[in-house]
Amino acid sequence: MQVLVTGGAGFIGSNLAEGFLDAGHRVVVLDNLDPYYDLGIKEHNLEVCHEAGDDHFEFVEGSTTDEELVDEVVASNDVDVIFHQASKAGVRTSVEHPKAYNESNIDGIVTVLEAAADHGVDRVVNASSSSVYGVPEYLPYDEDHPNHPKSPYAVTKLAAEHYCNVYDDLRDLSTVNLRYFTVYGPRMRPNMAISNFVSRCLNGEPPIIYGDGEQTRDFTFIDDVVEANRTLLETSDADGESMNVGSNDNISIRELAEYIVAETGADVDIVHEEAKDADARHTHADVSKAGELIDYEPTTDIREGVSKFIDWYEANREWYEPLVRNS
């Protein structure tokens, strides 16, 4: 199939692109190489895709807000399915720069949907987020939970979902929204709890927890996210749906830090600093809907996944660590 992955130089997008290439599909990545973190990581991600795909892989540098470019990429490549991963990331940063997030994340999805509808794309799979739920009225979150986004980032993710639903209804374009719950794993971006904790512990520095550490997260291993997206190349059962993609488990940030300290053998004490604005207190996914529609079943729990990430980090430390520490 002809697959377009927007934001395909990033962590999740590059893992999707690599997986599709390994399965024999032709993949085009569109990415503006936003320097939100050290671009060396994104450049490495693209090298991995080139190695996986050879002449079945193409990289186009540019933004999803560039209407002419997006239209040309979709039309000239006869794209079958678009996996829209491109968006400006970061809950905390969005509080400081809401207009930038609005432009990137909302204008971007509309441009992609327009091009998809105009050129007969079979499906757009949109990367949404657990942040659309906001403060939990109950846990685990199911898809019927009220949406009360608490940051500009979360607002843009919810708006993108609504745009997908509108295009599904009005333009006869199949769309699916996947609500990711804190994705982690090899090549993950540096400014996240797991990558920060592991990097600091391996360098004899204490992990820093913002707040009391009793906040909990549903962490999702990247391989499970790739499998959920891969399934949507084939099944038609999910048309017009939004669904959670999580681990069906959660862990407190304090427990996570303690586990990483133990696994790395670091002789350090955990440090606490003031909590950050807009951070969610708890997340926990009910993934039964994804199980019913796309046979989604998470395979990696947080402790197993963290151990895998530590092993990968140590094996790739020479190139990865300087970029993490520089971000």
Side-chain angles (χ1 to χ4, degrees):
M1 298 182 73
Q2 311 295 313
V3 177
L4 170 62
V5 181
T6 69
F11 164 48
I12 299 176
S14 67
N15 274 276
L16 293 185
E18 182 186 9
F20 297 146
L21 289 163
D22 287 342
H25 302 292
R26 183 177 181 277
V27 176
V28 177
V29 159
L30 174 65
D31 197 297
N32 68 348
L33 300 182
D34 183 349
Y36 180 65
Y37 52 85
D38 197 302
L39 286 178
I41 296 178
K42 293 185 178 182
E43 291 166 356
H44 179 84
N45 292 342
L46 291 172
E47 289 175 7
V48 170
C49 292
H50 275 294
E51 292 173 2
D54 195 17
D55 58 347
H56 292 291
F57 174 73
E58 179 184 355
F59 169 61
V60 178
E61 183 174 354
S63 172
T64 54
T65 62
D66 185 333
E67 296 179 16
E68 290 186 9
L69 177 61
V70 172
D71 192 80
E72 178 184 349
V73 168
V74 173
S76 63
N77 290 283
D78 196 20
V79 170
D80 295 307
V81 182
I82 299 174
F83 291 85
H84 182 61
Q85 305 296 310
S87 70
K88 206 164 183 60
V91 169
R92 298 170 187 169
T93 312
S94 76
V95 176
E96 302 168 4
H97 305 287
K99 290 184 179 180
Y101 280 75
N102 194 78
E103 178 182 357
S104 173
N105 298 1
I106 297 179
D107 291 355
I109 187 66
V110 173
T111 300
V112 167
L113 291 168
E114 274 290 298
D118 288 346
H119 297 290
V121 170
D122 293 334
R123 170 174 285 167
V124 174
V125 181
N126 174 51
S128 188
S129 165
S130 61
S131 65
V132 302
Y133 293 117
V135 177
E137 295 185 8
Y138 56 85
L139 289 172
Y141 293 119
D142 58 30
E143 290 80 1
D144 292 327
H145 188 286
N147 300 126
H148 298 299
K150 296 301 181 182
S151 68
Y153 170 81
V155 169
T156 66
K157 285 297 186 180
L158 184 57
E161 286 193 13
H162 285 305
Y163 269 113
C164 286
N165 296 339
V166 166
Y167 274 76
D168 195 289
D169 289 340
L170 300 183
R171 297 292 300 274
D172 196 27
L173 171 66
S174 170
T175 66
V176 180
N177 296 302
L178 297 182
R179 293 173 175 171
Y180 298 152
F181 281 69
T182 317
V183 187
Y184 72 102
R187 306 204 306 270
M188 69 186 294
R189 74 176 199 249
N191 51 356
M192 299 183 73
I194 292 174
S195 51
N196 282 338
F197 290 175
V198 170
S199 176
R200 293 183 65 84
C201 285
L202 289 176
N203 285 280
E205 300 168 359
I208 298 173
I209 293 176
Y210 296 101
D212 60 12
E214 296 306 309
Q215 61 268 45
T216 60
R217 292 289 180 274
D218 190 326
F219 289 97
T220 314
F221 195 63
I222 185 61
D223 290 357
D224 291 330
V225 172
V226 171
E227 179 60 19
N229 281 273
R230 185 204 62 77
T231 303
L232 290 167
L233 281 171
E234 302 162 0
T235 183
S236 60
D237 293 342
D239 288 348
E241 298 287 352
S242 298
M243 66 190 84
N244 295 333
V245 176
S247 72
N248 216 18
D249 190 12
N250 67 352
I251 188 173
S252 75
I253 299 301
R254 176 80 189 187
E255 290 176 288
L256 174 67
E258 290 171 346
Y259 183 76
I260 290 173
V261 169
E263 283 293 287
T264 58
D267 184 16
V268 296
D269 294 320
I270 295 168
V271 173
H272 289 261
E273 293 188 359
E274 187 177 350
K276 299 290 186 179
D277 291 339
D279 280 357
R281 184 67 178 168
H282 302 289
T283 67
H284 189 190
D286 179 341
V287 297
S288 56
K289 181 176 180 180
E292 294 170 4
L293 294 179
I294 60 173
D295 293 325
Y296 175 72
E297 184 176 353
T299 61
T300 306
D301 68 30
I302 181 62
R303 289 168 179 80
E304 179 187 0
V306 165
S307 296
K308 287 182 178 181
F309 177 70
I310 292 171
D311 290 343
W312 178 89
Y313 188 110
E314 292 182 312
N316 292 271
R317 193 167 182 172
E318 183 176 354
W319 74 266
Y320 183 68
E321 183 170 84
L323 304 179
V324 172
R325 310 276 296 175
N326 191 44
S327 296

